Amino acid sequence: MLTLGVEEEYLLLDLGTGLPRARAEQVCRTAGLQPALAEAEIQRELLQVQLEVATPVCRELEEVGGHLLRLRHALGAAAVTDGCRLAASAAAPFADRLTVPITDTARYRAMRTDAPQLTDEQLITGMHVHLGIPDRATGVLVMNRLRPWLPLLVALAANSPLWQGTDTGFASWRTIVFSRWPVSGPPPRFENAADYDRRTRALVARRLIHDRGQIYWHIRLSDHYPTVEVRAMDVQLRPDEAVLLAGIVRVLADQAISDDRAGRPGSAVEPEALAAAVWHGARHGSTSEVFDPVHGRLVAVGDAAATMLDSVDPALTRSGDRRHIVPVLERLLREGNGATRQRRVLREHGREGLIAMISDQTTGT
């Protein structure tokens, strides 16, 4: 099986009001005093209300889950010490009209100069799954064969229904916000690694983007590590649901490699249909239909998930990860994803109840 690592982005919310609080520098400093955290595991993000953690390279899903719990607990304790909550909500549910300051680096200053409104509204957080690959050719193969499953991944992972105190009507508003950047959304299909490198370098050479770090496709190759990065998912309220999604991504990729070696064709979805299907997944999440790439049409989310599990059954058997994936997926389909639960708690317990739930589920308390 492929090795994997997970990055999670979090928001810092005020303990009392639930509004974004620009305390990233202070929380990082406090977290650095804790023996459970290594300095390289925490990174600052674009806005001073965001932090990112990264697990080490893992071989087993149990490792991923253990590291995420450790990182969330330690960073959550540091946040409370500095008067805020760590929140694994993929969009800030409440916000005032004050501009959140950016992290003061040359790259982030340039981004704000280029797109001030987009930068100010980047109050969103995701999770990224890095899969270790033997070469970039395998990475492009994985990209091409995972593209059709992006609508289901977006729908299952949706955890950002609220924006500035308003229900957006979308399950993943983060997906919509991120789609406004120049190079974002589902990636195109590439012929090979050389085609990927030629086309991505051309974006920089034509000065359409500053660097390849501004390629925000849902799946991309890393320029720094031998990995393919799947970044379509909202950050998850529950750590075990983050592990679930990481496991799904890995078995999809493992099965894709096996199918290619066996000469089995992958699902073909036209780029315009795929873009529309991702939008549909972001709009409805796990509460309606989602695009099923095997049958080429919208079906109930549970049916699409069952089709996906059938398609990766050999990889599930090889990995031994069925016990980490199937029960959690069944619970998610039964109880709803993060977006469904956020709406339910807000309706039943109000604003204070929602903020408490987000904070508690983030750290598994």
Side-chain angles (χ1 to χ4, degrees):
M1 294 296 291
L2 303 173
T3 59
L4 76 165
V6 174
E7 296 170 339
E8 287 192 321
E9 300 165 341
Y10 311 121
L11 293 167
L12 297 173
L13 303 182
D14 185 86
L15 278 172
T17 65
L19 296 174
R21 190 160 188 196
R23 301 284 291 177
E25 183 177 349
Q26 294 89 333
V27 173
C28 273
R29 189 162 53 241
T30 301
L33 301 175
Q34 298 194 32
L37 289 173
E39 183 178 353
E41 292 179 316
I42 310 172
Q43 298 176 14
R44 303 278 296 280
E45 270 294 322
L46 173 62
L47 298 179
Q48 291 185 29
V49 300
Q50 298 165 317
L51 288 171
E52 181 181 76
V53 299
T55 72
V57 176
C58 301
R59 295 189 177 277
E60 305 295 337
L61 290 183
E62 292 99 324
E63 295 178 75
V64 175
H67 284 300
L68 289 180
L69 278 172
R70 172 180 60 84
L71 292 166
R72 286 180 177 218
H73 284 157
L75 202 55
V80 170
T81 298
D82 286 299
C84 49
R85 302 173 187 260
L86 193 71
S89 173
F94 308 105
D96 53 28
R97 298 300 175 181
L98 298 177
T99 300
V100 175
I102 63 168
T103 300
D104 190 19
T105 68
R107 187 167 187 272
Y108 291 152
R109 288 195 300 271
M111 288 177 66
R112 193 176 191 286
T113 298
D114 286 348
Q117 189 70 26
L118 296 191
T119 301
D120 291 346
E121 294 183 0
Q122 199 73 4
L123 289 165
I124 55 175
T125 53
M127 69 169 285
H128 309 153
V129 179
H130 285 263
L131 301 172
I133 49 174
D135 49 58
R136 291 172 73 80
T138 304
V140 170
L141 156 67
V142 169
M143 285 184 65
N144 287 341
R145 286 182 175 253
L146 259 62
R147 287 172 67 249
W149 293 105
L150 287 170
L152 179 60
L153 289 174
V154 168
L156 293 175
N159 183 35
S160 49
L162 305 175
W163 184 252
Q164 297 186 347
T166 300
D167 191 323
T168 65
F170 282 77
S172 176
W173 187 241
R174 168 189 165 272
T175 299
I176 305 305
V177 171
F178 226 135
S179 69
R180 300 179 299 179
W181 291 97
V183 185
S184 57
R189 191 183 187 284
F190 295 98
E191 292 300 318
N192 48 42
D195 184 40
Y196 179 93
D197 288 336
R198 176 184 62 80
R199 290 162 65 178
T200 53
R201 286 169 181 160
L203 289 167
V204 179
R206 292 168 176 167
R207 294 185 293 116
L208 297 172
I209 56 176
H210 288 293
D211 54 51
R212 294 209 293 188
Q214 288 189 302
I215 292 172
Y216 298 133
W217 285 321
H218 291 325
I219 317 175
R220 69 183 184 185
L221 298 185
S222 172
D223 281 337
H224 306 292
Y225 306 102
T227 65
V228 60
E229 180 184 7
V230 181
R231 42 189 295 118
M233 295 82 69
D234 285 359
V235 72
Q236 296 299 287
L237 283 175
R238 292 170 171 162
D240 63 348
E241 289 175 350
V243 174
L244 159 71
L245 291 167
I248 288 175
V249 166
R250 182 165 71 165
V251 293
L252 283 170
D254 185 68
Q255 192 63 48
I257 295 169
S258 296
D259 287 345
D260 183 76
R261 289 172 178 167
R264 291 187 286 268
S267 301
V269 182
E270 302 86 352
E272 66 275 13
L274 184 59
V278 166
W279 189 96
H280 190 278
R283 168 66 178 86
H284 297 284
S286 63
T287 63
S288 180
E289 295 178 313
V290 71
F291 185 75
D292 176 350
V294 173
H295 298 100
R297 64 178 186 272
L298 291 175
V299 301
V301 173
D303 292 341
T307 298
M308 181 272 296
L309 290 176
D310 286 344
S311 72
V312 299
D313 187 70
L316 272 176
T317 301
R318 286 193 298 272
S319 69
D321 287 339
R322 194 183 306 273
R323 67 189 188 280
H324 300 295
I325 291 175
V326 174
V328 182
L329 179 58
E330 290 175 344
R331 188 194 68 198
L332 185 151
L333 293 172
R334 183 175 63 252
E335 298 181 2
N337 59 13
T340 298
R341 300 198 303 274
Q342 284 200 46
R343 285 178 168 134
R344 183 186 303 136
V345 171
L346 180 63
R347 182 174 62 250
E348 296 176 357
H349 302 287
R351 176 170 175 159
E352 290 185 4
L354 174 64
I355 297 303
M357 182 273 284
I358 290 173
S359 179
D360 290 346
Q361 292 201 3
T362 295
T363 54
T365 56

